[in-house]
Amino acid sequence: LRDISTVAFQMQMADPTRVVCTDQRADIVNVLNAKVTPQTQMVLLLTPHKDCKKVYQLFKQTACCHLPCVTQVVKSETIRKRQSIAAVLSRIVLQINAKFCGPLWHIDLAGSTTKPAFSAPTMTIGIDEFVNNEDEKYYGFAASLDTNCTEYFSNSGLLEKGKERQSMSVKLQEAVRDALLHFARRNDGCLPQHLVVYRGSLNPSDWVSVHATEVEAINKVLAAVKGVSAQGEDYAATLTFVGVAKRTAMRFFQPSSNEKSVRNPEWGTVVDDTKVGMRKIPSFYLINQAVGKGTAVPTQFVVLYDSANLSANALQNLTYRLAFLYFNYTGSIRVPAPLQYAKKIANLIGTAVRAEPHKRLLKTFFYL
């Protein structure tokens, strides 16, 4: 790992402290308590296939809540793949770099096609929910802190059973407040002038309740912020809130070169005709990924609120570009990166950690 990180990626990786744990399921927590200190930057765990799920849960619970530290879990059988060991180690190095908020690549978000988005300080936010096997619902939240949308503040936690909507409203206000504070600290006291929110896992039946709870919750936080801009004006941020459909049955095709059959549309294809979308609500379908086999599945985006009056072209271009900024995959994904990060943290907290992560980790990608 050290050699590949230095030669291939110019990353400096010091000699690790090696610790042997023969019975990981019984001893992993005690070993972590004995060896992890406030100066520990990262813990990499090589785990055998046996009991790996239980060991993973114990490891993540301890490292995310009690001994806050960035972690990386690698199965022993993965390291034994000698034929592809260089590629495997390269992926591990890149993931470690991403967890410490080292950007792996950049996408131009402030281009002419995305204006007026990112022509002023802009924060992109992803919000999602995850339901585990015990029917517990967890929220996931990820908010960008820089102009390139490569640094994030993320959080997740359990929603109160039977009162999920009210609980989500409260949690969301707290998360947006904290994200604004971290954004200001990261940008010399400057607050975002525009917030673009992508809310995942929505059905059409959820739109009214999400607007009444989550959109209003964010607007309450923005209205409560007291600040003055460089021009001496009171702080008044605009909000664009986009719902992302949980699933869609819509499929699109285009004629093949010989016009005798059909093929998948090119990636980046947008369909916003009202004949296939919403008639009264701005919406569009976007195909983010190139598909070699099978049918391309579009993602449906519905604009539930927009006080910025963002043009359809700007929002569509921004949404497509954000799909390339998920650092766990070298390509585009089906949803914008902030939403995918929210999905990932909600999944980790809901399946393995089962508690809110430590504050020291909230500005890292510890959940990748």
Side-chain angles (χ1 to χ4, degrees), residues 36-43 62-71 99-101 145 152-155 178 182 185 345 356-367:
V36 175
T37 69
Q39 288 72 42
T40 303
Q41 292 181 294
M42 189 191 73
V43 178
T62 305
C64 291
C65 302
H66 308 298
L67 301 170
C69 183
V70 172
T71 57
K99 288 187 177 186
F100 284 102
C101 294
L145 302 178
Y152 281 81
F153 167 83
S154 312
N155 206 349
D178 293 342
H182 284 286
R185 291 169 189 162
I345 190 173
E356 291 194 6
H358 197 281
K359 292 182 179 180
R360 282 181 56 185
L361 298 175
L362 300 185
K363 288 177 66 178
T364 69
F365 286 129
F366 71 95
Y367 47 88

Side-chain angles (χ1 to χ4, degrees), residues 199-338:
R199 172 61 159 92
S201 302
L202 289 185
N203 296 311
S205 59
D206 300 323
W207 294 348
V208 174
S209 59
V210 166
H211 188 284
T213 55
E214 298 177 26
V215 174
E216 291 304 314
I218 297 174
N219 276 328
K220 281 183 180 179
V221 176
L222 297 178
V225 175
K226 303 297 181 183
V228 179
S229 67
Q231 293 75 28
E233 300 174 349
D234 291 336
Y235 178 71
T238 54
L239 171 65
T240 301
F241 194 100
V242 183
V244 183
K246 195 170 188 177
R247 59 182 64 88
T248 177
M250 189 67 67
R251 299 293 184 270
F252 299 102
F253 303 93
Q254 64 179 5
S256 61
S257 55
N258 59 15
E259 297 188 354
K260 294 182 179 180
S261 60
V262 294
R263 60 186 177 91
N264 285 318
E266 299 292 335
W267 56 343
T269 298
V270 175
V271 179
D272 58 4
D273 196 305
T274 54
K275 293 178 182 178
V276 295
M278 304 295 165
R279 294 188 177 183
K280 297 182 179 179
I281 304 175
S283 66
F284 60 95
Y285 290 91
L286 174 61
I287 297 174
N288 281 342
Q289 297 173 294
V291 178
K293 294 182 179 180
T295 304
V297 180
T299 304
Q300 185 183 21
F301 299 86
V302 181
V303 182
L304 300 179
Y305 182 86
D306 184 21
S307 62
N309 295 319
L310 202 61
S311 70
N313 184 62
L315 180 60
Q316 291 163 5
N317 273 279
L318 176 62
T319 302
Y320 179 58
R321 294 180 184 217
L322 286 172
F324 287 86
L325 284 173
Y326 180 61
F327 293 141
N328 227 11
Y329 181 75
T330 53
S332 62
I333 58 175
R334 287 193 60 213
V335 297

Side-chain angles (χ1 to χ4, degrees), residues 135 159-167:
D135 203 31
L159 298 176
E160 186 178 350
K161 198 160 190 176
K163 298 181 179 180
E164 286 84 0
R165 287 295 176 203
Q166 299 93 316
S167 182

Side-chain angles (χ1 to χ4, degrees), residues 89-147:
L89 293 179
S90 295
R91 287 195 294 269
I92 293 173
V93 169
L94 289 174
Q95 194 168 37
I96 291 173
N97 184 71
K99 288 187 177 186
F100 284 102
C101 294
L104 303 183
W105 53 80
H106 291 289
I107 297 291
D108 182 15
L109 299 175
S112 59
T113 56
T114 61
K115 286 185 178 180
F118 282 88
S119 57
T122 302
M123 174 187 287
T124 59
I125 297 175
I127 303 170
D128 208 345
E129 294 176 343
F130 172 78
V131 180
N132 63 17
N133 293 332
E134 297 178 11
D135 203 31
E136 296 174 328
K137 183 175 286 188
Y138 289 78
Y139 80 95
F141 177 92
S144 65
L145 302 178
D146 66 324
T147 55

